[in-house]
Amino acid sequence: MDFALNEQQEMMQTLARDFLGSEYPDKVLREMVDDEKGYTPEFWRKMSEMNLMGLSIPEEYGGVGDFLDLTVVLEEMGRVGFLSPFFSTVVLGASAIIEAGSDEQKQKYLPGISGGKLIFTLALTEPSARYTADAVTAKAALQESDYVINGIKLFVPDAHVSDYVICVARTDEAVNPQDGITLFIVDTNTPGVRCKLLKTIAGDKQCEVTFDNVRISGKDVLGEVDKGWSCVEKIMAKAAVARCAEMVGGAQQVLNMTLEYAKDRVAFGHPIGAFQSIQHRCADMLIDVDGSRFVTYQAAWRINEGLPAAREVAIAKAWVSRALQRVVNSSHQIHGTIGFTEDHILHLYTKRARSHELSFGDADYHLERLVSQSL
Amino acid sequence: MNFAFTPEEAAFRKEVAEFLEKEAPPEYRESRVTFFDMSSHEDWIETHRKIAEKLGERGWISMHWPREYGGQDASPFYRLILREELSRYHSPGYDSIGAGIVAPALLLKGNEEQKKQHLPGIAQGKVMWCETLSEPGHGSDLASIEVFAREEANCFVVNGQKTWTTNAHFADWNALIVRTDREVTPKYRGLTFFLLDMKTPGITVNPVINMAGHHEFNEVFFDDVRIPKENMVGGLNKGWYLVMSLLDYERTTDTVYAVASTYIEDLAEYARENNLLNPLMRNRLAQLTADCEVARMLHYRVTWMQGKGIVPNHESAMSKMYSFELLQRVSEFGMQLLGQYSQLAEGSARVPMYGRIPSCYLRSFGYSLEQGTSEIDRDVIAQRGLDLPRLR
Ligand SMILES: Cc1cc2nc3c(=O)[nH]c(=O)nc-3n(C[C@H](O)[C@H](O)[C@H](O)COP(=O)(O)OP(=O)(O)OC[C@H]3O[C@@H](n4cnc5c(N)ncnc54)[C@H](O)[C@@H]3O)c2cc1C
């Protein structure tokens, strides 16, 4: 056992913390929340100069580091509430291509991703807003050597700025809903692809993407036809853990600002942090933050080692999602009314906690997965 | 024991419901706005005033006041029924500061001229009030407030900054607590309560936007604001006692459980219509319904005490804290019920219920802070209600 980061991970942590600490102050976060794109090309270029988009991509495609390194960096991003198509591109797009892509596809896309030239995302959920295989109803019909996709994908992150969308579609009405699902790499400029930005409370960028007779060459099938669901499951596992890492960072940051306030704010002649009811809340917050970090890194480590991780992933996403809600709730209570305003930064963390909980399966969804695995 | 309303009270409820069936603004009902996020509707102030005046014409705002001040000596359950029905119809129209807090305080501590001057406007629903206690540096610890009023020949002159004043941007009058003695210890003996006309020169009101994105409260700056001496209530440096009774009224004025109950029904209806009632959601809904019944009992007990002339104390803190925290849980449940859709804000494509659910949820963070925080409420319950020893 070793609960500490190794040298490489520590280096990544310091690098990311210094970079985001100086380049992504609250002011920038506020701007990006209101910004339609949610990032600037200039910032993306700076990230690419640090080869951040190469994280967890094999070296032969210009990548660097492994999934644990990526987890460490995502935690730092969560700390500052970082918004950008980084998660969509690296965690969703690159993972899918690494997982299921042919050599040719890897050659075509991965260097572009790691080099900061391509933005990717994954279009999985639909208006039913569920993450189960039976919820995939968008259809891809074979016509000669092409596929024609029709359907609506909802809550697709960053699709409005993506060059490519990996679309999860049904190619066969199989008895078992997990069969008959295929992944397609869709250039967002293809005729028939329409994208509408949704307005979310957190200001993170999610879209409705409509596929209206979108014709895709058979060459752009990602992985095996009709056998795409197992790949989706793998991406989902990584995405859920990666999201947890962001939540851990967010929770840590919220705890930090709360402690600072509790020491600073005086009522009845004492810093409010001297009151037992405040101390008890802070103590519970620490358990939530550390607990979140440990279950997240355990799951990330298992994925990184190629060990079975279904149980640990479900535990992490279920537990961290709820823990973060408890942390922000306590933080609001301790901050009093100043934390209830838009002037204070806390509300942005609170709102993001919500969207993070909802993405890649909420607590209820993962608890259900957990119990059905163990019964 | 008897848990029933009298036939007269039941008839009153019916009358109010018939009125609201016609007069409650349909867009408010349709969007299922709650009392606490009315300010999300841009026209709510005008809508409020229109309905308030109609309630006033019928004498409903002041039913439980003494006859000599425009009331009908009715039991406080009439006020409760009115507010329950307003909640059920998602209707504005009740100024919980003027009618809920200032009026009972004036009835208790105001002099004859003050009562004659201010009570009719409140009863008629024509004059709106705000209440200014908190300062940037002092919220829970009100005894420490610093904004100072200097005494002159026939007036007090106020300078400084207050904050979080709900409705200051359209209130006609303000119930204001300031310091009038900086030397005295304990500090609470240096506070005085004033009635302040918001048109007085020197007042600046700046909006503060809450985390739901709405303008509900404000910063208020005072620059040589002159308040005539006759606007002092309860005596010089005797403001503390008024603050304490203000807080007690504040804790009993809003029928928060009624808002929660309406909200639970709306969510249940939405869940039925959209096939969301799995066993987990059913269980949560049932638990909240039971919690809501307890909140109702806690509030009815307080109202019953008031009707008997017993002054509720920790009982009102129990009622207020429990129902506000319940309303937070109901808001949280709304988010869980909607799942992914709960993050869509008003104005988004595909947003259900006009974005009301996240709006209520974000507003709910204030419930355990406003009218005194839950920590302070628990202190009141433990120390005044249970007589537990204090550290200080
Ligand atoms: C929606 C809303 C509307 C409001 N409207 C008004 C209004 O119209 N007029 C007005 O004057 N004010 C209004 N307020 C302000 C509100 O009354 C105060 O914010 C509240 O009393 C808390 O004060 P504070 O924010 O300064 O927090 P603080 O008093 O600084 O408290 C910070 C934290 O410390 C805790 N704490 C403080 N003392 C103790 C203690 N002794 N033991 C344990 N914990 C303690 C508190 O519970 C809280 O968790 C409103 C607030 C909200 C949210």
PDB file of all heavy atoms in Angstrom, chain A residues 252-275:
ATOM      1  N   GLN A 252     -12.252  19.773  -2.141  1.00  0.00           N
ATOM      2  CA  GLN A 252     -11.091  20.262  -1.392  1.00  0.00           C
ATOM      3  C   GLN A 252     -11.058  21.789  -1.379  1.00  0.00           C
ATOM      4  O   GLN A 252     -10.826  22.413  -0.343  1.00  0.00           O
ATOM      5  CB  GLN A 252      -9.801  19.725  -2.036  1.00  0.00           C
ATOM      6  CG  GLN A 252      -8.536  20.145  -1.309  1.00  0.00           C
ATOM      7  CD  GLN A 252      -8.388  19.446   0.040  1.00  0.00           C
ATOM      8  OE1 GLN A 252      -8.315  18.225   0.087  1.00  0.00           O
ATOM      9  NE2 GLN A 252      -8.370  20.214   1.112  1.00  0.00           N
ATOM     10  N   GLN A 253     -11.325  22.359  -2.537  1.00  0.00           N
ATOM     11  CA  GLN A 253     -11.299  23.813  -2.639  1.00  0.00           C
ATOM     12  C   GLN A 253     -12.389  24.432  -1.756  1.00  0.00           C
ATOM     13  O   GLN A 253     -12.168  25.424  -1.071  1.00  0.00           O
ATOM     14  CB  GLN A 253     -11.489  24.226  -4.103  1.00  0.00           C
ATOM     15  CG  GLN A 253     -11.446  25.715  -4.353  1.00  0.00           C
ATOM     16  CD  GLN A 253     -10.085  26.310  -4.054  1.00  0.00           C
ATOM     17  OE1 GLN A 253      -9.100  25.569  -3.895  1.00  0.00           O
ATOM     18  NE2 GLN A 253     -10.031  27.626  -3.942  1.00  0.00           N
ATOM     19  N   VAL A 254     -13.568  23.815  -1.774  1.00  0.00           N
ATOM     20  CA  VAL A 254     -14.673  24.330  -0.959  1.00  0.00           C
ATOM     21  C   VAL A 254     -14.328  24.205   0.528  1.00  0.00           C
ATOM     22  O   VAL A 254     -14.559  25.122   1.312  1.00  0.00           O
ATOM     23  CB  VAL A 254     -15.999  23.601  -1.301  1.00  0.00           C
ATOM     24  CG1 VAL A 254     -17.087  23.936  -0.296  1.00  0.00           C
ATOM     25  CG2 VAL A 254     -16.448  23.960  -2.716  1.00  0.00           C
ATOM     26  N   LEU A 255     -13.727  23.092   0.902  1.00  0.00           N
ATOM     27  CA  LEU A 255     -13.308  22.942   2.302  1.00  0.00           C
ATOM     28  C   LEU A 255     -12.289  24.025   2.662  1.00  0.00           C
ATOM     29  O   LEU A 255     -12.400  24.674   3.708  1.00  0.00           O
ATOM     30  CB  LEU A 255     -12.727  21.543   2.553  1.00  0.00           C
ATOM     31  CG  LEU A 255     -12.117  21.306   3.943  1.00  0.00           C
ATOM     32  CD1 LEU A 255     -13.133  21.561   5.062  1.00  0.00           C
ATOM     33  CD2 LEU A 255     -11.565  19.878   4.068  1.00  0.00           C
ATOM     34  N   ASN A 256     -11.314  24.240   1.783  1.00  0.00           N
ATOM     35  CA  ASN A 256     -10.292  25.245   2.066  1.00  0.00           C
ATOM     36  C   ASN A 256     -10.902  26.621   2.288  1.00  0.00           C
ATOM     37  O   ASN A 256     -10.571  27.324   3.243  1.00  0.00           O
ATOM     38  CB  ASN A 256      -9.274  25.339   0.921  1.00  0.00           C
ATOM     39  CG  ASN A 256      -8.428  24.083   0.805  1.00  0.00           C
ATOM     40  OD1 ASN A 256      -8.516  23.174   1.644  1.00  0.00           O
ATOM     41  ND2 ASN A 256      -7.630  23.999  -0.247  1.00  0.00           N
ATOM     42  N   MET A 257     -11.804  27.006   1.381  1.00  0.00           N
ATOM     43  CA  MET A 257     -12.358  28.362   1.534  1.00  0.00           C
ATOM     44  C   MET A 257     -13.235  28.453   2.777  1.00  0.00           C
ATOM     45  O   MET A 257     -13.315  29.499   3.423  1.00  0.00           O
ATOM     46  CB  MET A 257     -13.068  28.847   0.257  1.00  0.00           C
ATOM     47  CG  MET A 257     -14.337  28.162  -0.132  1.00  0.00           C
ATOM     48  SD  MET A 257     -15.157  28.994  -1.549  1.00  0.00           S
ATOM     49  CE  MET A 257     -14.577  28.060  -2.944  1.00  0.00           C
ATOM     50  N   THR A 258     -13.850  27.341   3.140  1.00  0.00           N
ATOM     51  CA  THR A 258     -14.712  27.336   4.326  1.00  0.00           C
ATOM     52  C   THR A 258     -13.884  27.488   5.599  1.00  0.00           C
ATOM     53  O   THR A 258     -14.237  28.246   6.509  1.00  0.00           O
ATOM     54  CB  THR A 258     -15.511  26.022   4.385  1.00  0.00           C
ATOM     55  OG1 THR A 258     -16.170  25.839   3.134  1.00  0.00           O
ATOM     56  CG2 THR A 258     -16.543  26.053   5.492  1.00  0.00           C
ATOM     57  N   LEU A 259     -12.766  26.767   5.650  1.00  0.00           N
ATOM     58  CA  LEU A 259     -11.908  26.850   6.834  1.00  0.00           C
ATOM     59  C   LEU A 259     -11.361  28.257   7.003  1.00  0.00           C
ATOM     60  O   LEU A 259     -11.331  28.806   8.108  1.00  0.00           O
ATOM     61  CB  LEU A 259     -10.755  25.847   6.722  1.00  0.00           C
ATOM     62  CG  LEU A 259     -11.175  24.373   6.764  1.00  0.00           C
ATOM     63  CD1 LEU A 259      -9.970  23.466   6.560  1.00  0.00           C
ATOM     64  CD2 LEU A 259     -11.891  24.042   8.081  1.00  0.00           C
ATOM     65  N   GLU A 260     -10.968  28.828   5.866  1.00  0.00           N
ATOM     66  CA  GLU A 260     -10.426  30.177   5.920  1.00  0.00           C
ATOM     67  C   GLU A 260     -11.484  31.130   6.491  1.00  0.00           C
ATOM     68  O   GLU A 260     -11.196  31.953   7.362  1.00  0.00           O
ATOM     69  CB  GLU A 260     -10.066  30.595   4.496  1.00  0.00           C
ATOM     70  CG  GLU A 260      -9.014  31.657   4.399  1.00  0.00           C
ATOM     71  CD  GLU A 260      -8.687  31.901   2.921  1.00  0.00           C
ATOM     72  OE1 GLU A 260      -8.281  30.937   2.222  1.00  0.00           O
ATOM     73  OE2 GLU A 260      -8.882  33.035   2.473  1.00  0.00           O
ATOM     74  N   TYR A 261     -12.713  30.985   6.006  1.00  0.00           N
ATOM     75  CA  TYR A 261     -13.791  31.865   6.451  1.00  0.00           C
ATOM     76  C   TYR A 261     -14.105  31.626   7.925  1.00  0.00           C
ATOM     77  O   TYR A 261     -14.320  32.565   8.689  1.00  0.00           O
ATOM     78  CB  TYR A 261     -15.041  31.647   5.586  1.00  0.00           C
ATOM     79  CG  TYR A 261     -16.067  32.732   5.785  1.00  0.00           C
ATOM     80  CD1 TYR A 261     -15.879  34.000   5.243  1.00  0.00           C
ATOM     81  CD2 TYR A 261     -17.217  32.503   6.538  1.00  0.00           C
ATOM     82  CE1 TYR A 261     -16.810  35.009   5.437  1.00  0.00           C
ATOM     83  CE2 TYR A 261     -18.155  33.506   6.733  1.00  0.00           C
ATOM     84  CZ  TYR A 261     -17.943  34.754   6.186  1.00  0.00           C
ATOM     85  OH  TYR A 261     -18.863  35.758   6.387  1.00  0.00           O
ATOM     86  N   ALA A 262     -14.104  30.353   8.324  1.00  0.00           N
ATOM     87  CA  ALA A 262     -14.459  30.015   9.713  1.00  0.00           C
ATOM     88  C   ALA A 262     -13.436  30.586  10.702  1.00  0.00           C
ATOM     89  O   ALA A 262     -13.757  30.885  11.851  1.00  0.00           O
ATOM     90  CB  ALA A 262     -14.562  28.502   9.875  1.00  0.00           C
ATOM     91  N   LYS A 263     -12.195  30.733  10.240  1.00  0.00           N
ATOM     92  CA  LYS A 263     -11.175  31.295  11.130  1.00  0.00           C
ATOM     93  C   LYS A 263     -11.253  32.813  11.175  1.00  0.00           C
ATOM     94  O   LYS A 263     -10.848  33.458  12.135  1.00  0.00           O
ATOM     95  CB  LYS A 263      -9.786  30.879  10.640  1.00  0.00           C
ATOM     96  CG  LYS A 263      -9.500  29.398  10.877  1.00  0.00           C
ATOM     97  CD  LYS A 263      -8.171  28.989  10.265  1.00  0.00           C
ATOM     98  CE  LYS A 263      -8.040  27.475  10.278  1.00  0.00           C
ATOM     99  NZ  LYS A 263      -6.934  27.017   9.421  1.00  0.00           N
ATOM    100  N   ASP A 264     -11.770  33.372  10.088  1.00  0.00           N
ATOM    101  CA  ASP A 264     -11.736  34.808   9.885  1.00  0.00           C
ATOM    102  C   ASP A 264     -12.977  35.521  10.434  1.00  0.00           C
ATOM    103  O   ASP A 264     -12.888  36.584  11.050  1.00  0.00           O
ATOM    104  CB  ASP A 264     -11.673  35.020   8.369  1.00  0.00           C
ATOM    105  CG  ASP A 264     -11.089  36.357   8.030  1.00  0.00           C
ATOM    106  OD1 ASP A 264     -10.076  36.704   8.660  1.00  0.00           O
ATOM    107  OD2 ASP A 264     -11.654  37.041   7.164  1.00  0.00           O
ATOM    108  N   ARG A 265     -14.123  34.927  10.204  1.00  0.00           N
ATOM    109  CA  ARG A 265     -15.397  35.587  10.506  1.00  0.00           C
ATOM    110  C   ARG A 265     -15.667  35.551  12.012  1.00  0.00           C
ATOM    111  O   ARG A 265     -15.630  34.482  12.626  1.00  0.00           O
ATOM    112  CB  ARG A 265     -16.519  34.866   9.757  1.00  0.00           C
ATOM    113  CG  ARG A 265     -17.914  35.334  10.076  1.00  0.00           C
ATOM    114  CD  ARG A 265     -18.200  36.635   9.396  1.00  0.00           C
ATOM    115  NE  ARG A 265     -19.583  37.066   9.560  1.00  0.00           N
ATOM    116  CZ  ARG A 265     -20.047  38.213   9.062  1.00  0.00           C
ATOM    117  NH1 ARG A 265     -19.244  39.016   8.378  1.00  0.00           N
ATOM    118  NH2 ARG A 265     -21.287  38.561   9.252  1.00  0.00           N
ATOM    119  N   VAL A 266     -15.958  36.708  12.567  1.00  0.00           N
ATOM    120  CA  VAL A 266     -16.192  36.784  14.007  1.00  0.00           C
ATOM    121  C   VAL A 266     -17.675  37.045  14.302  1.00  0.00           C
ATOM    122  O   VAL A 266     -18.301  37.880  13.664  1.00  0.00           O
ATOM    123  CB  VAL A 266     -15.331  37.902  14.630  1.00  0.00           C
ATOM    124  CG1 VAL A 266     -15.677  38.107  16.103  1.00  0.00           C
ATOM    125  CG2 VAL A 266     -13.840  37.563  14.481  1.00  0.00           C
ATOM    126  N   ALA A 267     -18.204  36.281  15.256  1.00  0.00           N
ATOM    127  CA  ALA A 267     -19.544  36.559  15.787  1.00  0.00           C
ATOM    128  C   ALA A 267     -19.516  36.287  17.279  1.00  0.00           C
ATOM    129  O   ALA A 267     -18.819  35.374  17.731  1.00  0.00           O
ATOM    130  CB  ALA A 267     -20.588  35.679  15.107  1.00  0.00           C
ATOM    131  N   PHE A 268     -20.246  37.071  18.029  1.00  0.00           N
ATOM    132  CA  PHE A 268     -20.303  36.898  19.489  1.00  0.00           C
ATOM    133  C   PHE A 268     -18.900  36.881  20.108  1.00  0.00           C
ATOM    134  O   PHE A 268     -18.628  36.150  21.050  1.00  0.00           O
ATOM    135  CB  PHE A 268     -21.048  35.615  19.858  1.00  0.00           C
ATOM    136  CG  PHE A 268     -22.451  35.554  19.324  1.00  0.00           C
ATOM    137  CD1 PHE A 268     -22.730  34.868  18.145  1.00  0.00           C
ATOM    138  CD2 PHE A 268     -23.492  36.199  19.988  1.00  0.00           C
ATOM    139  CE1 PHE A 268     -24.024  34.823  17.641  1.00  0.00           C
ATOM    140  CE2 PHE A 268     -24.792  36.151  19.482  1.00  0.00           C
ATOM    141  CZ  PHE A 268     -25.053  35.456  18.308  1.00  0.00           C
ATOM    142  N   GLY A 269     -17.985  37.650  19.501  1.00  0.00           N
ATOM    143  CA  GLY A 269     -16.654  37.770  20.074  1.00  0.00           C
ATOM    144  C   GLY A 269     -15.692  36.632  19.786  1.00  0.00           C
ATOM    145  O   GLY A 269     -14.591  36.602  20.325  1.00  0.00           O
ATOM    146  N   HIS A 270     -16.101  35.673  18.944  1.00  0.00           N
ATOM    147  CA  HIS A 270     -15.209  34.560  18.607  1.00  0.00           C
ATOM    148  C   HIS A 270     -15.216  34.331  17.102  1.00  0.00           C
ATOM    149  O   HIS A 270     -16.229  34.581  16.454  1.00  0.00           O
ATOM    150  CB  HIS A 270     -15.692  33.256  19.257  1.00  0.00           C
ATOM    151  CG  HIS A 270     -15.791  33.323  20.744  1.00  0.00           C
ATOM    152  ND1 HIS A 270     -14.701  33.151  21.569  1.00  0.00           N
ATOM    153  CD2 HIS A 270     -16.852  33.550  21.554  1.00  0.00           C
ATOM    154  CE1 HIS A 270     -15.095  33.271  22.829  1.00  0.00           C
ATOM    155  NE2 HIS A 270     -16.392  33.516  22.852  1.00  0.00           N
ATOM    156  N   PRO A 271     -14.098  33.794  16.586  1.00  0.00           N
ATOM    157  CA  PRO A 271     -14.186  33.323  15.197  1.00  0.00           C
ATOM    158  C   PRO A 271     -15.257  32.221  15.158  1.00  0.00           C
ATOM    159  O   PRO A 271     -15.312  31.400  16.090  1.00  0.00           O
ATOM    160  CB  PRO A 271     -12.805  32.719  14.915  1.00  0.00           C
ATOM    161  CG  PRO A 271     -11.929  33.169  16.028  1.00  0.00           C
ATOM    162  CD  PRO A 271     -12.799  33.513  17.196  1.00  0.00           C
ATOM    163  N   ILE A 272     -16.100  32.221  14.130  1.00  0.00           N
ATOM    164  CA  ILE A 272     -17.192  31.240  14.135  1.00  0.00           C
ATOM    165  C   ILE A 272     -16.656  29.803  14.150  1.00  0.00           C
ATOM    166  O   ILE A 272     -17.322  28.898  14.625  1.00  0.00           O
ATOM    167  CB  ILE A 272     -18.174  31.435  12.958  1.00  0.00           C
ATOM    168  CG1 ILE A 272     -17.434  31.399  11.622  1.00  0.00           C
ATOM    169  CG2 ILE A 272     -18.955  32.733  13.114  1.00  0.00           C
ATOM    170  CD1 ILE A 272     -18.366  31.319  10.415  1.00  0.00           C
ATOM    171  N   GLY A 273     -15.415  29.627  13.686  1.00  0.00           N
ATOM    172  CA  GLY A 273     -14.787  28.301  13.718  1.00  0.00           C
ATOM    173  C   GLY A 273     -14.559  27.785  15.133  1.00  0.00           C
ATOM    174  O   GLY A 273     -14.212  26.623  15.324  1.00  0.00           O
ATOM    175  N   ALA A 274     -14.727  28.660  16.128  1.00  0.00           N
ATOM    176  CA  ALA A 274     -14.584  28.211  17.513  1.00  0.00           C
ATOM    177  C   ALA A 274     -15.868  27.570  18.029  1.00  0.00           C
ATOM    178  O   ALA A 274     -15.864  26.898  19.062  1.00  0.00           O
ATOM    179  CB  ALA A 274     -14.197  29.388  18.405  1.00  0.00           C
ATOM    180  N   PHE A 275     -16.987  27.797  17.324  1.00  0.00           N
ATOM    181  CA  PHE A 275     -18.244  27.197  17.783  1.00  0.00           C
ATOM    182  C   PHE A 275     -18.279  25.719  17.415  1.00  0.00           C
ATOM    183  O   PHE A 275     -17.927  25.332  16.312  1.00  0.00           O
ATOM    184  CB  PHE A 275     -19.450  27.913  17.175  1.00  0.00           C
ATOM    185  CG  PHE A 275     -19.522  29.366  17.532  1.00  0.00           C
ATOM    186  CD1 PHE A 275     -19.622  30.344  16.551  1.00  0.00           C
ATOM    187  CD2 PHE A 275     -19.475  29.772  18.860  1.00  0.00           C
ATOM    188  CE1 PHE A 275     -19.673  31.685  16.890  1.00  0.00           C
ATOM    189  CE2 PHE A 275     -19.529  31.107  19.203  1.00  0.00           C
ATOM    190  CZ  PHE A 275     -19.625  32.070  18.218  1.00  0.00           C
TER     191      PHE A 275
END
